[in-house]
Amino acid sequence: MNAYFNGVEKPVNEQLAAEFLDPAHTAVITIDMHDGHLSQDPDCPCPSPRGRQIIQPLNDFLAHCRALGLPVIHVRSTLRADGADERLYPSAWRMVFPITVGEIPNIAQHALEGTRWNKMSIETEPTDYRVNGKKRLSAFYATDLELLLRNLGIRRIVLTGCMTDCCVLNTAFDGANRDFRVVVPGDLTRGTEELEQPALQMISLHLGLVVDSQALLQHWESEVAHG
């Protein structure tokens, strides 16, 4: 199959395919696909309108992954309701993001435990795993994601969700630094429109493979069929 190297589609050689694309020991991770980003309510505390584009495609992709026996892990930001997780050291994005995008009236509610914004916006199954303690940009930082992956025997992680140039990119860096093989289906992640492609190019240059989700499924299905 092909992947995108610095934005240019090229064939994946056998060595890379063996390292990154073997469905064995692979987990699929969704990042922050919850109503705090994806609700159409005007009070949405950190809206990602482009993220809504991938809700149904991601639902379809995950259904195929489950059918192939791949574990699915949903990582979701959740902050303590009293604000203790940002009391002395508030996340930098809360301070600088509004300067670029404009005022976000309900930003203080983003990811707070017990609010309606923590509801998942994509379809989940009881057999899926959940990591609900994400408190900063990376799905690895201060969560038990790595512990779960190691205990599942995972070597390869497929990253999807919000936002490409923020949490997905940070998770890709942290995953690669922990020697997981990182794969990102570029059509199943959304972020800041003008920064999506640069983020995917950084991933393809330094961290792993950027692929098309349908091509990835076809490759996995072929691998499974041939044992």
Side-chain angles (χ1 to χ4, degrees), residues 10 19 190:
K10 297 180 180 180
E19 282 286 326
R190 289 290 185 275

Side-chain angles (χ1 to χ4, degrees), residues 8-85:
V8 178
E9 188 174 3
K10 297 180 180 180
V12 176
N13 63 41
E14 290 185 7
Q15 180 184 5
L16 284 178
E19 282 286 326
F20 289 86
L21 301 177
D22 188 338
H25 308 290
T26 295
V28 178
I29 299 173
T30 76
I31 300 174
D32 285 338
M33 291 297 290
H34 55 75
D35 284 1
H37 283 312
L38 303 174
S39 172
Q40 298 189 53
D41 189 312
D43 289 332
C44 182
C46 188
S48 177
R50 291 175 54 74
R52 299 176 198 136
Q53 299 171 2
I54 63 171
I55 291 176
Q56 192 54 52
L58 186 50
N59 285 337
D60 295 340
F61 178 77
L62 295 177
H64 282 93
C65 292
R66 295 184 190 102
L68 289 169
L70 275 69
V72 173
I73 303 170
H74 304 290
V75 181
R76 181 182 64 183
S77 295
T78 309
L79 300 174
R80 290 177 176 86
D82 67 353
D85 297 314

Side-chain angles (χ1 to χ4, degrees), residues 24 59 64 74-75 77 82 116 123 135 148 167 172 188 199 209:
N59 285 337
H64 282 93
H74 304 290
V75 181
S77 295
D82 67 353
R116 62 190 176 102
E123 296 171 3
K135 292 174 170 58
L148 174 61
C167 296
L188 294 181
L209 295 185

Side-chain angles (χ1 to χ4, degrees), residues 8-194:
V8 178
E9 188 174 3
K10 297 180 180 180
V12 176
N13 63 41
E14 290 185 7
Q15 180 184 5
L16 284 178
E19 282 286 326
F20 289 86
L21 301 177
D22 188 338
H25 308 290
T26 295
V28 178
I29 299 173
T30 76
I31 300 174
D32 285 338
M33 291 297 290
H34 55 75
D35 284 1
H37 283 312
L38 303 174
S39 172
Q40 298 189 53
D41 189 312
D43 289 332
C44 182
C46 188
S48 177
R50 291 175 54 74
R52 299 176 198 136
Q53 299 171 2
I54 63 171
I55 291 176
Q56 192 54 52
L58 186 50
N59 285 337
D60 295 340
F61 178 77
L62 295 177
H64 282 93
C65 292
R66 295 184 190 102
L68 289 169
L70 275 69
V72 173
I73 303 170
H74 304 290
V75 181
R76 181 182 64 183
S77 295
T78 309
L79 300 174
R80 290 177 176 86
D82 67 353
D85 297 314
E86 299 208 349
R87 185 168 296 159
L88 296 181
Y89 304 100
S91 297
W93 74 267
R94 290 184 186 270
M95 295 180 279
V96 298
F97 191 65
I99 296 173
T100 299
V101 303
E103 182 183 2
I104 305 174
N106 204 28
I107 193 171
Q109 289 291 303
H110 181 62
L112 285 188
E113 187 176 37
T115 65
R116 62 190 176 102
W117 307 115
N118 285 336
K119 179 179 179 292
M120 294 297 292
S121 304
I122 56 173
E123 296 171 3
T124 65
E125 295 292 338
T127 53
D128 296 346
Y129 296 97
R130 289 169 175 77
V131 175
N132 292 326
K134 178 173 172 289
K135 292 174 170 58
R136 293 297 186 265
L137 302 182
S138 170
F140 283 96
Y141 180 73
T143 75
D144 63 359
L145 176 60
E146 183 173 6
L147 181 146
L148 174 61
L149 293 172
R150 300 295 184 197
N151 277 282
L152 292 175
I154 298 302
R155 301 174 191 167
R156 289 168 277 276
I157 54 175
V158 178
L159 305 181
T160 67
C162 292
M163 296 174 57
T164 315
D165 48 302
C166 182
C167 296
V168 174
L169 181 60
N170 273 269
T171 303
F173 270 108
D174 273 1
N177 287 337
R178 287 165 168 79
D179 293 325
F180 292 102
R181 298 310 186 195
V182 175
V183 178
V184 179
D187 55 318
L188 294 181
T189 178
R190 289 290 185 275
T192 308
E193 185 171 8
E194 63 272 22

